[in-house]
Amino acid sequence: MSLAASLAAAIVDYDAGNLRSVQRACHEVGLNAEIVGDPESLLRADRVIFPGVGAAGAAMQSLHRRGLGSAIKEIIARGTPTLGICLGLQISLDYSEENDTHTLGLFAGNVRHFKLADPSLKVPHMGWNEVRSVKAHPLLQGLEAGDEFYYVHAYYPDPIERSIVYAVSDYEQEFACALGRDNYFATQFHPEKSGRVGLRLLKCFSTWEGTC
Amino acid sequence: MLSKRVIACLDVRDGKLAKSVKFVDTKDIGDPVQKAREYYEDGLDELVFYDITASSDKRRIMLDVVERVAEQVFIPLSVGGGVRSVADATDLRLAGAEKINVNSAAVQRPELISECAEAIGNQNVVLSMDVLRVAVSAQIPSGYEIVINGGRKPMGIDALWWAREGERLGAGELVVNSIDADGTREGYELNLTSRISKAVRIPVIASGGAGLPEHLYDVLTDGAADAALVASMVHYGDHRISGLKQYLHGRGVKVRMSW
C-alpha cells in the first residue's frame, strides 16, 4: 500500500458495516479506493465515500471517538467530491429517530422510521425499488425510467429543503432517496449492490469534479 | 413500489456445485463462480450459496468461492450452511457475503440469532427454516414442524412459533423451505408460506418445489412471499432467470426488469 501524499479515494471506516463490497465495486469501475479510519488519511483523499450499515447511535459514537465527524465536515467544506451511502446519508441530516440521535447536520432535516398502514408491507424496506430522478445530477447520468436499486433500511430521510432532493422512491409513501448539494451527494440505496445501474453511478463518481 | 425478488440458490460442496450442471460449453462444469456470473448477467436479484461441505477442514474452499464471486457479482450475496458461531458469520462476511443464513445451529441454540444480529446487523441475518407437514397437535398447532440436519431430525417445534421467535431474536429475513415440496418441482407450499409471511413483519423467501414459472407467480401472490428461491429449474437449463422475470412481469407481478 502506497503512502503517497494523496489517495485516489477513501472509504470511511467507522465500524459501520462491511466496507469491502463498496471497495470491490469501486475497483470494478477503475476507482482505486482504500478503506481508512483516521482523519489524516481522509483529509489526504481526492474523493471520499461515506458508507455505512447499522444503527445511527452507535455510528455517531464511533465517528466521534475516531475524530471523523469533524474530518467529514471539513472535507465537504473544502470541496472534496464525496458520496454518502445508506447510513452515511442518514447521519448527514440533523436528527435520526433511530436511537434518538443528533447527527452531523450537513443537510437540514430528520430521519424517520417507516410507519406503514399496509400490514403486508415489510420493514425493513429490503430489495429492489425504482429510483426516479426529479432533478438532473452528474451522478445520475444515464438513469432511465424503470431503473431499480437495492435497498435495506427501516428509516428514511425527510429533508426540509426540497431543492436538495435529486431522486425519490415509493414505499407506500414517496421518500427522498438521493440528496445533494455542491460536492456532496448521498443515496439511501446501495449502488455497490445494484448491478449495472449501481456501477454506473460509481463510475460517474470516479471522475466527478464535485459540481452539480 | 418494491419489487418481488427472484433468488437463485447454489449448493456447493468442496468448492463445486453439488448437482452437476449441464452446460453447453463443458469446460466449466460445476464452477459456482461462473454460474453466479451467468445468473447475475441474466437479471438475478440476489444469490444464495449453501455450503454442504461435510468436513470442516475444507471450509476455506467455500470462503475462496465467496471471495471470487464477490469480486464480479454486484448484487446481494447470501451464504449459509454450517454457520455455528459469530466467528463463522464474520469470516463469510469478510470474504464478501452480505447476508448470513443460520439454520440447524440456531434451532439448537437460538441465541445464535441474537449474537449474529448484534455482530453484523439484523438486516444481514437470515433465518432459514426447514419445515415438515405433520398432524396438528397441542405441541404443533399449525401442523408444520421444524426439522434439522437436512430434514432428517424433527424437533417438536411449531414452525409458525419459530418464525415469530426468529423475528423477535433479531432475524432480518426468513427462508421458509418446505421439505414436502422440496425436489418435487410441483410448486411451493403456498399455505405454509402465506401463513408464515402474514405472521411476521420481516421479508419471507419461499423455498422448495419450484418447477414452473407459474409456481413463482403463485407463491409471490397467493403465497404472500416477498421473494422466490429457485434452484434446479434454472441450474439444468430448463428455465432462465430472465425468462422467469419476463413471465412474472407479463402477469403483473412487480419485478426488476432493467439490468
Side-chain angles (χ1 to χ4, degrees):
Chain A
M1 208 60 58
S2 145
L3 287 174
S6 78
L7 286 173
I11 298 171
V12 186
D13 178 7
Y14 56 108
D15 311 309
N18 185 5
L19 307 177
R20 286 185 60 195
S21 55
V22 177
Q23 187 180 32
R24 285 189 186 94
C26 287
H27 290 171
E28 179 72 9
V29 300
L31 180 60
N32 184 17
E34 288 179 32
I35 295 170
V36 303
D38 62 290
E40 294 72 27
S41 303
L42 198 57
L43 293 165
R44 288 193 289 117
D46 294 336
R47 52 192 74 241
V48 170
I49 298 179
F50 180 32
V53 171
M60 283 308 294
Q61 282 173 18
S62 180
L63 270 187
H64 288 318
R65 190 172 59 243
R66 289 171 176 249
L68 288 166
S70 49
I72 286 166
K73 286 182 178 173
E74 188 177 338
I75 57 133
I76 288 174
R78 63 156 80 153
T80 305
T82 302
L83 174 65
I85 298 173
C86 194
L87 186 62
L89 177 154
Q90 296 196 351
I91 58 179
S92 298
L93 285 98
D94 292 314
Y95 171 80
S96 174
E97 288 180 1
E98 188 176 27
N99 320 120
D100 186 21
T101 309
H102 289 279
T103 44
L104 293 172
L106 297 161
F107 296 124
N110 300 313
V111 172
R112 303 188 191 283
H113 193 249
F114 275 118
K115 287 187 183 60
L116 306 171
D118 181 349
S120 75
L121 294 178
K122 308 298 178 74
V123 177
H125 172 233
M126 182 190 288
W128 298 79
N129 201 335
E130 186 175 350
V131 168
R132 281 184 289 123
S133 171
V134 294
K135 198 156 62 149
H137 190 281
L139 297 194
L140 297 178
Q141 215 176 349
L143 185 74
E144 290 173 15
D147 282 354
E148 299 185 22
F149 287 77
Y150 187 76
Y151 283 97
V152 186
H153 61 125
Y155 294 78
Y156 66 94
D158 183 17
I160 289 168
E161 301 165 60
R162 294 306 290 179
S163 62
I164 63 169
V165 178
Y166 282 87
V168 295
S169 277
D170 293 302
Y171 198 47
E172 191 174 87
Q173 65 199 65
E174 183 181 285
F175 66 92
C177 63
L179 305 180
R181 187 190 296 120
D182 304 328
N183 55 308
Y184 185 38
F185 189 77
T187 65
Q188 181 59 61
F189 50 82
H190 289 269
E192 77 281 12
K193 284 286 145 192
S194 297
R196 184 183 53 82
V197 298
L199 294 177
R200 185 178 58 207
L201 189 153
L202 291 172
K203 181 76 185 166
C204 291
F205 176 70
S206 72
T207 55
W208 183 41
E209 286 168 2
T211 53
C212 55
Chain B
M1 192 176 143
L2 191 63
S3 287
K4 299 282 188 179
R5 284 170 282 160
V6 175
I7 301 176
C9 182
L10 294 162
D11 287 345
V12 179
R13 181 191 290 129
D14 301 341
K16 294 196 172 63
L17 287 179
K19 296 167 187 163
S20 67
V21 176
K22 299 175 204 157
F23 283 96
V24 180
D25 174 4
T26 56
K27 213 169 68 183
D28 290 303
I29 278 181
D31 179 6
V33 181
Q34 196 215 310
K35 205 68 190 155
R37 177 83 199 182
E38 178 193 321
Y39 291 160
Y40 165 65
E41 287 174 353
D42 200 32
L44 187 70
D45 297 316
E46 193 164 325
L47 187 65
V48 181
F49 278 119
Y50 228 79
D51 186 7
I52 55 171
T53 302
S55 58
S56 55
D57 56 321
K58 289 186 174 160
R59 285 284 143 135
R60 181 66 230 169
I61 303 174
M62 188 62 193
L63 295 176
D64 289 339
V65 169
V66 173
E67 265 186 57
R68 281 159 58 217
V69 170
E71 274 165 16
Q72 43 179 311
V73 169
F74 300 96
I75 54 175
L77 178 56
S78 183
V79 181
V83 175
R84 287 185 181 80
S85 64
V86 168
D88 291 341
T90 308
D91 285 349
L92 287 165
R93 290 261 299 162
L94 283 174
E98 245 65 53
K99 302 182 188 178
I100 302 302
N101 290 41
V102 293
N103 191 335
S104 300
V107 178
Q108 290 162 316
R109 201 175 65 81
E111 310 86 88
L112 177 64
I113 300 171
S114 6
E115 290 165 12
C116 286
E118 172 80 12
I120 65 173
N122 295 40
Q123 72 279 6
N124 295 317
V125 179
V126 183
L127 174 61
S128 184
M129 41 201 279
D130 293 336
V131 182
L132 192 65
R133 201 185 305 127
V134 295
V136 173
S137 64
Q139 195 182 12
I140 313 289
S142 73
Y144 290 105
E145 183 174 4
I146 295 295
V147 293
I148 64 164
N149 296 344
R152 287 188 296 272
K153 191 174 174 194
M155 296 302 286
I157 296 170
D158 187 275
L160 235 65
W161 178 84
W162 180 233
R164 289 198 198 95
E165 182 67 1
E167 178 180 33
R168 189 186 69 79
L169 289 168
E173 200 166 32
L174 299 176
V175 174
V176 179
N177 184 42
S178 164
I179 297 293
D180 303 290
D182 195 29
T184 65
R185 293 200 179 203
E186 287 174 359
Y188 297 92
E189 233 279 26
L190 299 182
N191 179 50
L192 167 69
T193 312
S194 118
R195 284 178 70 184
I196 290 187
S197 188
K198 286 169 185 166
V200 296
R201 278 312 291 267
I202 52 179
V204 167
I205 302 168
S207 164
L212 295 169
E214 45 264 51
H215 296 153
L216 279 80
Y217 174 82
D218 292 342
V219 85
L220 294 172
T221 53
D222 292 346
D226 300 284
L229 200 90
V230 293
S232 47
M233 73 183 292
V234 292
H235 298 340
Y236 293 106
D238 300 332
H239 297 276
R240 291 182 49 137
I241 299 294
S242 54
L244 294 175
K245 295 183 80 174
Q246 283 287 357
Y247 173 84
L248 292 168
H249 174 69
R251 291 193 66 183
V253 177
K254 173 86 163 57
V255 287
R256 179 174 66 113
M257 290 306 294
S258 153
W259 58 81

